[in-house]
mmCIF file of all heavy atoms in Angstrom:
data_model
loop_
_atom_site.group_PDB
_atom_site.id
_atom_site.type_symbol
_atom_site.label_atom_id
_atom_site.label_comp_id
_atom_site.label_asym_id
_atom_site.label_seq_id
_atom_site.Cartn_x
_atom_site.Cartn_y
_atom_site.Cartn_z
ATOM 1 N N ASP A 1 102.735 109.033 71.933
ATOM 2 C CA ASP A 1 101.973 107.856 71.518
ATOM 3 C C ASP A 1 102.815 106.590 71.562
ATOM 4 O O ASP A 1 102.277 105.479 71.631
ATOM 5 C CB ASP A 1 101.448 108.025 70.082
ATOM 6 C CG ASP A 1 100.357 109.080 69.982
ATOM 7 O OD1 ASP A 1 99.837 109.481 71.030
ATOM 8 O OD2 ASP A 1 100.043 109.502 68.858
ATOM 9 N N ALA A 2 104.131 106.744 71.491
ATOM 10 C CA ALA A 2 105.007 105.586 71.356
ATOM 11 C C ALA A 2 105.173 104.804 72.655
ATOM 12 O O ALA A 2 105.819 103.771 72.666
ATOM 13 C CB ALA A 2 106.377 106.022 70.850
ATOM 14 N N GLY A 3 104.609 105.262 73.772
ATOM 15 C CA GLY A 3 104.753 104.541 75.037
ATOM 16 C C GLY A 3 104.085 103.184 74.998
ATOM 17 O O GLY A 3 103.128 102.953 74.265
ATOM 18 N N SER A 4 104.600 102.246 75.786
ATOM 19 C CA SER A 4 104.024 100.900 75.816
ATOM 20 C C SER A 4 102.775 100.872 76.682
ATOM 21 O O SER A 4 102.536 101.765 77.491
ATOM 22 C CB SER A 4 105.048 99.903 76.374
ATOM 23 O OG SER A 4 105.318 100.181 77.735
ATOM 24 N N VAL A 5 101.980 99.825 76.491
ATOM 25 C CA VAL A 5 100.764 99.647 77.295
ATOM 26 C C VAL A 5 100.804 98.286 77.988
ATOM 27 O O VAL A 5 99.836 97.548 78.016
ATOM 28 C CB VAL A 5 99.486 99.770 76.434
ATOM 29 C CG1 VAL A 5 99.249 101.190 76.024
ATOM 30 C CG2 VAL A 5 99.555 98.870 75.204
ATOM 31 N N ASP A 6 101.961 97.971 78.525
ATOM 32 C CA ASP A 6 102.130 96.691 79.206
ATOM 33 C C ASP A 6 101.420 96.713 80.553
ATOM 34 O O ASP A 6 101.720 97.548 81.411
ATOM 35 C CB ASP A 6 103.621 96.397 79.419
ATOM 36 C CG ASP A 6 104.381 96.321 78.099
ATOM 37 O OD1 ASP A 6 103.776 95.859 77.120
ATOM 38 O OD2 ASP A 6 105.554 96.722 78.067
ATOM 39 N N THR A 7 100.500 95.782 80.733
ATOM 40 C CA THR A 7 99.789 95.671 81.999
ATOM 41 C C THR A 7 100.704 95.035 83.033
ATOM 42 O O THR A 7 101.316 93.997 82.764
ATOM 43 C CB THR A 7 98.528 94.813 81.832
ATOM 44 O OG1 THR A 7 97.700 95.408 80.841
ATOM 45 C CG2 THR A 7 97.767 94.722 83.143
ATOM 46 N N PRO A 8 100.850 95.634 84.226
ATOM 47 C CA PRO A 8 101.714 95.047 85.250
ATOM 48 C C PRO A 8 101.299 93.617 85.581
ATOM 49 O O PRO A 8 100.106 93.307 85.635
ATOM 50 C CB PRO A 8 101.504 95.972 86.459
ATOM 51 C CG PRO A 8 101.003 97.246 85.891
ATOM 52 C CD PRO A 8 100.210 96.877 84.683
ATOM 53 N N GLU A 9 102.292 92.771 85.794
ATOM 54 C CA GLU A 9 102.006 91.362 86.079
ATOM 55 C C GLU A 9 101.132 91.198 87.316
ATOM 56 O O GLU A 9 100.243 90.352 87.351
ATOM 57 C CB GLU A 9 103.326 90.605 86.265
ATOM 58 C CG GLU A 9 103.142 89.111 86.491
ATOM 59 C CD GLU A 9 104.463 88.407 86.698
ATOM 60 O OE1 GLU A 9 105.506 89.082 86.615
ATOM 61 O OE2 GLU A 9 104.452 87.192 86.956
ATOM 62 N N TRP A 10 101.349 92.058 88.315
ATOM 63 C CA TRP A 10 100.585 91.917 89.550
ATOM 64 C C TRP A 10 99.111 92.238 89.352
ATOM 65 O O TRP A 10 98.262 91.786 90.125
ATOM 66 C CB TRP A 10 101.164 92.805 90.656
ATOM 67 C CG TRP A 10 101.239 94.266 90.321
ATOM 68 C CD1 TRP A 10 102.280 94.927 89.745
ATOM 69 C CD2 TRP A 10 100.229 95.257 90.528
ATOM 70 N NE1 TRP A 10 101.993 96.255 89.589
ATOM 71 C CE2 TRP A 10 100.745 96.495 90.060
ATOM 72 C CE3 TRP A 10 98.944 95.230 91.082
ATOM 73 C CZ2 TRP A 10 100.013 97.680 90.125
ATOM 74 C CZ3 TRP A 10 98.223 96.423 91.145
ATOM 75 C CH2 TRP A 10 98.749 97.622 90.668
ATOM 76 N N ALA A 11 98.803 93.029 88.316
ATOM 77 C CA ALA A 11 97.407 93.355 88.045
ATOM 78 C C ALA A 11 96.707 92.221 87.308
ATOM 79 O O ALA A 11 95.480 92.156 87.272
ATOM 80 C CB ALA A 11 97.302 94.630 87.223
ATOM 81 N N ILE A 12 97.496 91.320 86.712
ATOM 82 C CA ILE A 12 96.933 90.198 85.974
ATOM 83 C C ILE A 12 96.830 88.963 86.860
ATOM 84 O O ILE A 12 95.858 88.228 86.813
ATOM 85 C CB ILE A 12 97.804 89.886 84.740
ATOM 86 C CG1 ILE A 12 97.837 91.101 83.802
ATOM 87 C CG2 ILE A 12 97.307 88.659 84.009
ATOM 88 C CD1 ILE A 12 98.743 90.924 82.606
ATOM 89 N N CYS A 13 97.850 88.749 87.677
ATOM 90 C CA CYS A 13 97.875 87.543 88.502
ATOM 91 C C CYS A 13 96.739 87.550 89.518
ATOM 92 O O CYS A 13 96.367 88.582 90.054
ATOM 93 C CB CYS A 13 99.213 87.429 89.240
ATOM 94 S SG CYS A 13 100.615 87.181 88.138
ATOM 95 N N GLY A 14 96.235 86.377 89.806
ATOM 96 C CA GLY A 14 95.142 86.265 90.763
ATOM 97 C C GLY A 14 95.611 86.404 92.196
ATOM 98 O O GLY A 14 94.816 86.624 93.096
ATOM 99 N N ASP A 15 96.909 86.266 92.427
ATOM 100 C CA ASP A 15 97.435 86.360 93.787
ATOM 101 C C ASP A 15 98.699 87.195 93.743
ATOM 102 O O ASP A 15 99.714 86.791 93.199
ATOM 103 C CB ASP A 15 97.739 84.958 94.348
ATOM 104 C CG ASP A 15 98.274 85.005 95.775
ATOM 105 O OD1 ASP A 15 98.478 86.108 96.320
ATOM 106 O OD2 ASP A 15 98.482 83.925 96.327
ATOM 107 N N ALA A 16 98.641 88.385 94.323
ATOM 108 C CA ALA A 16 99.802 89.272 94.277
ATOM 109 C C ALA A 16 100.970 88.724 95.065
ATOM 110 O O ALA A 16 102.090 89.167 94.903
ATOM 111 C CB ALA A 16 99.423 90.653 94.807
ATOM 112 N N GLY A 17 100.730 87.751 95.924
ATOM 113 C CA GLY A 17 101.801 87.205 96.727
ATOM 114 C C GLY A 17 102.936 86.654 95.902
ATOM 115 O O GLY A 17 104.088 86.755 96.259
ATOM 116 N N TYR A 18 102.601 86.018 94.745
ATOM 117 C CA TYR A 18 103.674 85.478 93.921
ATOM 118 C C TYR A 18 104.017 86.381 92.753
ATOM 119 O O TYR A 18 104.812 86.040 91.902
ATOM 120 C CB TYR A 18 103.332 84.070 93.396
ATOM 121 C CG TYR A 18 102.123 83.987 92.509
ATOM 122 C CD1 TYR A 18 102.160 84.454 91.200
ATOM 123 C CD2 TYR A 18 100.935 83.417 92.971
ATOM 124 C CE1 TYR A 18 101.066 84.367 90.379
ATOM 125 C CE2 TYR A 18 99.835 83.320 92.139
ATOM 126 C CZ TYR A 18 99.910 83.789 90.847
ATOM 127 O OH TYR A 18 98.807 83.689 90.046
ATOM 128 N N SER A 19 103.382 87.542 92.673
ATOM 129 C CA SER A 19 103.703 88.473 91.593
ATOM 130 C C SER A 19 104.384 89.720 92.123
ATOM 131 O O SER A 19 104.540 90.687 91.413
ATOM 132 C CB SER A 19 102.431 88.873 90.847
ATOM 133 O OG SER A 19 101.530 89.525 91.707
ATOM 134 N N GLY A 20 104.776 89.707 93.395
ATOM 135 C CA GLY A 20 105.554 90.835 93.869
ATOM 136 C C GLY A 20 105.203 91.342 95.243
ATOM 137 O O GLY A 20 105.919 92.134 95.810
ATOM 138 N N GLY A 21 104.092 90.933 95.846
ATOM 139 C CA GLY A 21 103.762 91.390 97.182
ATOM 140 C C GLY A 21 102.337 91.880 97.292
ATOM 141 O O GLY A 21 101.524 91.731 96.387
ATOM 142 N N THR A 22 102.019 92.476 98.439
ATOM 143 C CA THR A 22 100.672 92.960 98.710
ATOM 144 C C THR A 22 100.335 94.190 97.883
ATOM 145 O O THR A 22 101.124 95.108 97.771
ATOM 146 C CB THR A 22 100.535 93.307 100.206
ATOM 147 O OG1 THR A 22 100.745 92.125 100.966
ATOM 148 C CG2 THR A 22 99.149 93.866 100.504
ATOM 149 N N VAL A 23 99.131 94.194 97.313
ATOM 150 C CA VAL A 23 98.646 95.340 96.563
ATOM 151 C C VAL A 23 97.734 96.156 97.467
ATOM 152 O O VAL A 23 96.719 95.663 97.948
ATOM 153 C CB VAL A 23 97.876 94.903 95.297
ATOM 154 C CG1 VAL A 23 97.320 96.122 94.573
ATOM 155 C CG2 VAL A 23 98.781 94.103 94.371
ATOM 156 N N TYR A 24 98.096 97.405 97.714
ATOM 157 C CA TYR A 24 97.264 98.293 98.510
ATOM 158 C C TYR A 24 96.210 98.922 97.614
ATOM 159 O O TYR A 24 96.436 99.123 96.416
ATOM 160 C CB TYR A 24 98.117 99.384 99.157
ATOM 161 C CG TYR A 24 99.095 98.866 100.180
ATOM 162 C CD1 TYR A 24 100.410 98.548 99.822
ATOM 163 C CD2 TYR A 24 98.706 98.697 101.504
ATOM 164 C CE1 TYR A 24 101.309 98.073 100.757
ATOM 165 C CE2 TYR A 24 99.606 98.226 102.447
ATOM 166 C CZ TYR A 24 100.900 97.913 102.073
ATOM 167 O OH TYR A 24 101.784 97.431 102.996
ATOM 168 N N HIS A 25 95.069 99.235 98.185
ATOM 169 C CA HIS A 25 94.031 99.864 97.376
ATOM 170 C C HIS A 25 93.212 100.836 98.211
ATOM 171 O O HIS A 25 93.162 100.755 99.444
ATOM 172 C CB HIS A 25 93.102 98.817 96.755
ATOM 173 C CG HIS A 25 92.186 98.164 97.752
ATOM 174 N ND1 HIS A 25 92.494 96.963 98.364
ATOM 175 C CD2 HIS A 25 90.975 98.541 98.247
ATOM 176 C CE1 HIS A 25 91.512 96.632 99.197
ATOM 177 N NE2 HIS A 25 90.584 97.579 99.143
ATOM 178 N N SER A 26 92.588 101.755 97.504
ATOM 179 C CA SER A 26 91.682 102.711 98.124
ATOM 180 C C SER A 26 90.543 102.949 97.140
ATOM 181 O O SER A 26 90.780 103.351 95.993
ATOM 182 C CB SER A 26 92.433 104.021 98.409
ATOM 183 O OG SER A 26 91.549 105.002 98.912
ATOM 184 N N SER A 27 89.295 102.670 97.565
ATOM 185 C CA SER A 27 88.144 102.752 96.668
ATOM 186 C C SER A 27 87.045 103.626 97.259
ATOM 187 O O SER A 27 86.737 103.523 98.458
ATOM 188 C CB SER A 27 87.567 101.349 96.394
ATOM 189 O OG SER A 27 88.518 100.519 95.769
ATOM 190 N N TYR A 28 86.443 104.440 96.398
ATOM 191 C CA TYR A 28 85.316 105.286 96.804
ATOM 192 C C TYR A 28 84.186 105.111 95.790
ATOM 193 O O TYR A 28 84.420 104.958 94.584
ATOM 194 C CB TYR A 28 85.736 106.760 96.870
ATOM 195 C CG TYR A 28 86.554 107.069 98.102
ATOM 196 C CD1 TYR A 28 87.913 106.768 98.149
ATOM 197 C CD2 TYR A 28 85.975 107.638 99.232
ATOM 198 C CE1 TYR A 28 88.674 107.019 99.274
ATOM 199 C CE2 TYR A 28 86.727 107.905 100.364
ATOM 200 C CZ TYR A 28 88.071 107.599 100.385
ATOM 201 O OH TYR A 28 88.809 107.844 101.511
ATOM 202 N N ARG A 29 82.957 105.131 96.321
ATOM 203 C CA ARG A 29 81.784 104.930 95.483
ATOM 204 C C ARG A 29 80.789 106.053 95.716
ATOM 205 O O ARG A 29 80.626 106.548 96.839
ATOM 206 C CB ARG A 29 81.138 103.586 95.775
ATOM 207 C CG ARG A 29 79.875 103.296 94.947
ATOM 208 C CD ARG A 29 79.244 101.968 95.341
ATOM 209 N NE ARG A 29 80.116 100.862 94.967
ATOM 210 C CZ ARG A 29 80.349 99.801 95.736
ATOM 211 N NH1 ARG A 29 79.803 99.740 96.947
ATOM 212 N NH2 ARG A 29 81.131 98.824 95.321
ATOM 213 N N ILE A 30 80.106 106.451 94.634
ATOM 214 C CA ILE A 30 79.053 107.443 94.718
ATOM 215 C C ILE A 30 77.901 107.004 93.821
ATOM 216 O O ILE A 30 78.125 106.464 92.728
ATOM 217 C CB ILE A 30 79.568 108.845 94.296
ATOM 218 C CG1 ILE A 30 78.501 109.912 94.525
ATOM 219 C CG2 ILE A 30 80.046 108.852 92.862
ATOM 220 C CD1 ILE A 30 79.009 111.337 94.305
ATOM 221 N N LYS A 31 76.663 107.163 94.300
ATOM 222 C CA LYS A 31 75.485 106.823 93.503
ATOM 223 C C LYS A 31 74.823 108.117 93.047
ATOM 224 O O LYS A 31 74.579 109.020 93.855
ATOM 225 C CB LYS A 31 74.492 105.975 94.304
ATOM 226 C CG LYS A 31 73.261 105.570 93.482
ATOM 227 C CD LYS A 31 72.247 104.800 94.329
ATOM 228 C CE LYS A 31 72.733 103.400 94.611
ATOM 229 N NZ LYS A 31 71.664 102.589 95.257
ATOM 230 N N LEU A 32 74.553 108.188 91.742
ATOM 231 C CA LEU A 32 73.992 109.395 91.146
ATOM 232 C C LEU A 32 72.663 109.087 90.461
ATOM 233 O O LEU A 32 72.481 107.989 89.909
ATOM 234 C CB LEU A 32 74.963 109.988 90.121
ATOM 235 C CG LEU A 32 76.372 110.312 90.638
ATOM 236 C CD1 LEU A 32 77.295 110.664 89.488
ATOM 237 C CD2 LEU A 32 76.315 111.452 91.643
ATOM 238 N N GLN A 33 71.793 110.056 90.481
ATOM 239 C CA GLN A 33 70.506 109.888 89.831
ATOM 240 C C GLN A 33 70.653 110.039 88.322
ATOM 241 O O GLN A 33 71.345 110.931 87.837
ATOM 242 C CB GLN A 33 69.499 110.926 90.350
ATOM 243 C CG GLN A 33 68.081 110.742 89.838
ATOM 244 C CD GLN A 33 67.136 111.799 90.393
ATOM 245 O OE1 GLN A 33 67.449 112.985 90.370
ATOM 246 N NE2 GLN A 33 65.996 111.363 90.906
ATOM 247 N N GLY A 34 69.997 109.158 87.568
ATOM 248 C CA GLY A 34 70.008 109.277 86.116
ATOM 249 C C GLY A 34 71.020 108.377 85.453
ATOM 250 O O GLY A 34 71.735 107.600 86.102
ATOM 251 N N GLY A 35 71.069 108.462 84.127
ATOM 252 C CA GLY A 35 71.945 107.620 83.332
ATOM 253 C C GLY A 35 73.406 108.035 83.392
ATOM 254 O O GLY A 35 73.765 109.047 84.001
ATOM 255 N N ALA A 36 74.237 107.242 82.694
ATOM 256 C CA ALA A 36 75.679 107.415 82.807
ATOM 257 C C ALA A 36 76.296 108.195 81.656
ATOM 258 O O ALA A 36 77.478 108.519 81.703
ATOM 259 C CB ALA A 36 76.350 106.039 82.896
ATOM 260 N N ASP A 37 75.509 108.516 80.625
ATOM 261 C CA ASP A 37 76.101 109.102 79.415
ATOM 262 C C ASP A 37 76.837 110.407 79.686
ATOM 263 O O ASP A 37 78.001 110.582 79.304
ATOM 264 C CB ASP A 37 75.016 109.339 78.362
ATOM 265 C CG ASP A 37 74.471 108.034 77.802
ATOM 266 O OD1 ASP A 37 75.101 106.990 78.054
ATOM 267 O OD2 ASP A 37 73.431 108.062 77.125
ATOM 268 N N ARG A 38 76.158 111.340 80.352
ATOM 269 C CA ARG A 38 76.762 112.640 80.629
ATOM 270 C C ARG A 38 77.949 112.499 81.585
ATOM 271 O O ARG A 38 78.977 113.168 81.423
ATOM 272 C CB ARG A 38 75.709 113.585 81.208
ATOM 273 C CG ARG A 38 76.191 114.985 81.520
ATOM 274 C CD ARG A 38 76.656 115.725 80.296
ATOM 275 N NE ARG A 38 77.051 117.094 80.600
ATOM 276 C CZ ARG A 38 77.851 117.815 79.842
ATOM 277 N NH1 ARG A 38 78.321 117.314 78.712
ATOM 278 N NH2 ARG A 38 78.159 119.062 80.184
ATOM 279 N N LEU A 39 77.826 111.628 82.549
ATOM 280 C CA LEU A 39 78.907 111.396 83.505
ATOM 281 C C LEU A 39 80.125 110.822 82.803
ATOM 282 O O LEU A 39 81.266 111.217 83.072
ATOM 283 C CB LEU A 39 78.426 110.452 84.606
ATOM 284 C CG LEU A 39 79.421 110.121 85.730
ATOM 285 C CD1 LEU A 39 79.869 111.384 86.445
ATOM 286 C CD2 LEU A 39 78.796 109.139 86.708
ATOM 287 N N TRP A 40 79.894 109.900 81.876
ATOM 288 C CA TRP A 40 81.006 109.310 81.144
ATOM 289 C C TRP A 40 81.740 110.362 80.312
ATOM 290 O O TRP A 40 82.967 110.332 80.195
ATOM 291 C CB TRP A 40 80.507 108.187 80.244
ATOM 292 C CG TRP A 40 81.581 107.613 79.373
ATOM 293 C CD1 TRP A 40 81.741 107.768 78.025
ATOM 294 C CD2 TRP A 40 82.676 106.778 79.800
ATOM 295 N NE1 TRP A 40 82.852 107.103 77.583
ATOM 296 C CE2 TRP A 40 83.447 106.475 78.649
ATOM 297 C CE3 TRP A 40 83.068 106.250 81.024
ATOM 298 C CZ2 TRP A 40 84.582 105.683 78.714
ATOM 299 C CZ3 TRP A 40 84.214 105.461 81.082
ATOM 300 C CH2 TRP A 40 84.961 105.189 79.931
#
């Protein structure tokens, strides 16, 4: 529990160019029938 929860600066800055470089990403989306409660 004692670990820190410091958000990386590059995740906060609007432009990663001045916060350390290019941020790579990979995103996938799926659409499901029904509400989100059970999925959550």
Side-chain angles (χ1 to χ4, degrees):
D1 290 346
S4 66
V5 288
D6 300 326
T7 302
E9 183 181 357
W10 57 269
I12 299 176
C13 294
D15 181 357
Y18 62 74
S19 61
T22 298
V23 177
Y24 294 93
H25 72 265
S26 175
S27 299
Y28 284 80
R29 179 183 293 138
I30 186 172
K31 182 184 286 188
L32 304 170
Q33 186 180 48
D37 291 347
R38 181 63 177 159
L39 182 59
W40 175 252

